[in-house]
Amino acid sequence: MSRRKFLIAPSVLGADPLALAEAVESLKGRHDWLHLDIMDGHFVRNLSFGPAVARAMRRRWPEAFIDVHLMVDRLDVVLPLFLNSGASLITIHAETEPQLLHAALGSIRAAGLQAGVAIGPATPVEMIRPVLDCVDLVLVMSVTPGFGGQSLIESTLERTRQLAQLRAATRGYSYLIEMDGGINLDNAPRIALAGCDVAVAGSSVFSSPDPAAYLDKMKSEVKEAFDNAEIGADRQD
Ligand code: DX5
Ligand code: ZN
């Protein structure tokens, strides 16, 4: 089994909105990316942040990898607001406007950013097949988009496996696989073994008394799972 890097992207939606900066500082730099959820009250039944928050994060943490997850309709209006907001990567949902998917992903890359495509738990992988060769990341939602604090939907792991197999079997596919929603210490090793490269975690990290230690523990549990899987594979050889 080839071991890939496992990244953690704490979602600031899980932090106290009045103490967002303190919450990020409490990670003590143990995170890999910072995940910022943008919700428009229409594509999902919730509202969250706007481009000013992305811009403020970029000002405060110039070196951060800011992973913006757009859960919005009207990409024609909302996407341009984020292209110069300091985001490192912008992910859009395949369900939003399928006929505009190539164009929207192209405009993200044309702005010099990485581009991601997301699928909700009910959307088949087939729907994003046509864009898999032009994305840097595929986001597999592991909960219904819109709210933090939900439980991971087990069947979504199968889609991560499917995307990992497709990537291994297809020349030109180099996307990272990200999972988002309900991720915690218990299930992080399983999603990593399924092929997830980037785990988004909000409430589990920020409700922990020591978020930095929580991230360390998540990384060490994932490493142990990979070690055990390799030992198991060696025994079978
Ligand atoms: C849900 C968001 C997630 C959310 C995850 O629609 O996309 O990024 O912050 O939160 P938890 O980890 O609490 O499920
Ligand atoms: Zn998200």
Side-chain angles (χ1 to χ4, degrees), residues 3 22 29 31 57-58 84 88 96 166 169 173 228 233-234:
R3 185 180 296 212
E22 289 93 321
H31 57 291
M57 287 171 73
R58 172 56 66 220
N84 284 313
S88 310
T96 306
L166 268 175
Y173 285 4
N228 289 339
D234 284 349

Side-chain angles (χ1 to χ4, degrees), residues 11-14 35 37 39 44 69 71 139 141 143-151 180-183 200-204:
S11 170
V12 298
L13 189 73
H35 185 84
D37 288 308
M39 305 177 181
V44 290
H69 176 193
M71 284 163 276
L139 169 50
M141 286 302 302
V143 298
T144 302
F147 296 90
Q150 305 176 70
S151 299
D180 182 5
I183 295 168
V200 177
S203 46
S204 65

Side-chain angles (χ1 to χ4, degrees), residues 43 93-95 118-124 139-145 156 159:
F43 181 74
H93 269 262
E95 303 88 356
I119 45 174
T123 304
L139 169 50
V140 176
M141 286 302 302
S142 35
V143 298
T144 302
T156 59
R159 283 127 46 81

Side-chain angles (χ1 to χ4, degrees), residues 7-144:
L7 306 177
I8 307 178
S11 170
V12 298
L13 189 73
D16 175 352
L18 291 183
L20 206 146
E22 289 93 321
V24 172
E25 298 296 349
S26 77
L27 303 171
K28 297 182 183 149
R30 309 292 222 288
H31 57 291
D32 298 289
W33 295 1
L34 289 173
H35 185 84
L36 182 65
D37 288 308
I38 311 299
M39 305 177 181
D40 67 353
H42 195 253
F43 181 74
V44 290
R45 308 284 184 268
N46 199 3
L47 291 162
S48 60
F49 308 110
V53 175
R55 219 168 280 124
M57 287 171 73
R58 172 56 66 220
R59 270 200 305 275
R60 176 73 71 108
W61 301 292
E63 305 301 322
F65 189 98
I66 301 178
D67 170 28
V68 169
H69 176 193
L70 294 185
M71 284 163 276
V72 301
D73 283 325
R74 294 301 306 266
L75 274 179
D76 57 329
V77 176
V78 180
L79 181 54
L81 299 174
F82 284 89
L83 292 178
N84 284 313
S85 67
S88 310
L89 180 150
I90 299 179
T91 295
I92 57 176
H93 269 262
E95 303 88 356
T96 306
E97 285 170 278
Q99 76 283 9
L100 294 182
L101 208 47
H102 281 94
L105 291 166
S107 68
I108 297 170
R109 281 186 158 180
L113 312 180
Q114 293 186 36
V117 65
I119 45 174
T123 304
V125 167
E126 271 317 299
M127 184 163 173
I128 54 168
R129 274 295 271 271
V131 296
L132 286 180
D133 61 348
C134 52
V135 289
D136 301 287
L137 175 138
V138 177
L139 169 50
V140 176
M141 286 302 302
S142 35
V143 298
T144 302

